[in-house]
Amino acid sequence: MENNLFILHKHSLKYIAYSFLAFFLLLILDLELLAIAAFGFMLLSAYVFRNPEKSLVSYEKGALLSPVDGRVVKIEEIEDESYAYKIEVESGYFDLSILRVPLNATVEEVELFHGTRVSKKSKLFKELNEYAKLELLDKEGHKVKIIHRLERSFAPLYIDIFQGQELHKAARYGVMLNGTTTIYLPKAFKLNVNVGNQLSATETLLGYFI
């Protein structure tokens, strides 16, 4: 789990350093248009990896917060032994990329698959794209499953947690640039969001376990 309080996430440094080096070399070679492109990529890297502090809003017991910034595009009922609903959230380059813990819980399961980064419109999106799956269990026995799946992105999916780890609400645990997050919820859960809502990690209330 990460405690990076710097204004940029640590994974941004290599992209900024390489693009600055390219910018400097291209200027020396008098390749101005390419130098401008390299400088633009450096600014883009700084923007998408920004790492601001967020306020932790106080909610009642049993609250589940959003782990990502993005827009709710789908809410569905599902038939599953453990889960009854799923919320799908799309996060783009203009959304904050930092992933945050939605509740105080233990990591029951974590899996990271390094795959492709094709468009969500592709039929192979769910089968081949890079993803991370984690299941969290709190002390009251409430369980939530979260799947982060990358779309077209110049950076991989970063996840910094391990199985059995105790997580604290609002802590940073990874980075996802341009992807989809699916949140699976049990039947005993009262939703507080609707399709079209804009979410802010740790600031938006998804609902309550009941």
Side-chain angles (χ1 to χ4, degrees):
M1 191 165 59
E2 304 177 3
N3 293 305
N4 179 18
L5 300 180
F6 187 54
I7 58 172
L8 298 175
H9 193 274
K10 62 184 179 182
H11 290 299
S12 69
L13 301 181
K14 63 180 179 181
Y15 297 104
I16 293 173
Y18 289 148
S19 53
F20 177 78
L21 179 61
F23 169 71
F24 182 73
L25 292 176
L26 290 167
L27 278 183
I28 292 176
L29 297 173
D30 239 3
L31 300 172
E32 293 184 357
L33 288 178
L34 291 177
I36 291 172
F39 185 76
F41 183 75
M42 181 174 65
L43 294 180
L44 173 65
S45 299
Y47 179 77
V48 298
F49 282 105
R50 63 198 187 280
N51 184 29
E53 284 301 306
K54 286 199 170 190
S55 57
L56 179 57
V57 182
S58 179
Y59 291 105
E60 295 177 15
K61 185 178 179 180
L64 179 71
L65 308 182
S66 176
V68 295
D69 285 57
R71 186 173 64 89
V72 178
V73 295
K74 189 183 297 183
I75 299 176
E76 290 183 350
E77 292 187 13
I78 59 174
E79 294 184 4
D80 184 89
E81 291 183 2
S82 302
Y83 303 102
Y85 311 97
K86 69 175 183 179
I87 303 173
E88 193 170 296
V89 182
E90 287 186 352
S91 303
Y93 281 107
F94 290 103
D95 295 303
L96 284 174
S97 59
I98 307 299
L99 306 175
R100 293 177 180 261
V101 179
L103 77 169
N104 296 324
T106 302
V107 181
E108 283 259 293
E109 179 186 349
V110 60
E111 176 186 351
L112 180 60
F113 172 77
H114 296 288
T116 61
R117 301 171 199 168
V118 300
S119 169
K120 187 180 179 181
K121 296 178 181 179
S122 171
K123 294 180 180 179
L124 301 176
F125 173 70
K126 289 188 177 181
E127 286 73 22
L128 298 181
N129 271 33
E130 188 164 334
Y131 73 85
K133 179 176 73 174
L134 52 148
E135 284 195 293
L136 307 178
L137 180 70
D138 71 6
K139 292 182 178 179
E140 283 71 40
H142 302 133
K143 183 183 288 189
V144 59
K145 179 168 70 174
I146 303 171
I147 299 178
H148 301 292
R149 184 172 273 107
L150 272 183
E151 292 192 51
R152 291 173 176 171
S153 173
F154 65 83
L157 182 60
Y158 299 106
I159 298 293
D160 188 28
I161 56 176
F162 55 87
Q163 189 171 356
Q165 184 177 6
E166 295 285 339
L167 302 180
H168 299 287
K169 187 185 297 183
R172 301 164 175 85
Y173 69 86
V175 176
M176 180 181 70
L177 301 184
N178 194 39
T180 300
T181 297
T182 306
I183 305 163
Y184 293 83
L185 302 166
K187 188 174 183 179
F189 189 85
K190 184 178 180 181
L191 282 172
N192 190 59
V193 293
N194 296 299
V195 173
N197 286 170
Q198 192 69 28
L199 307 184
S200 177
T202 74
E203 293 178 337
T204 300
L205 174 69
L206 293 182
Y208 290 96
F209 292 103
I210 54 177

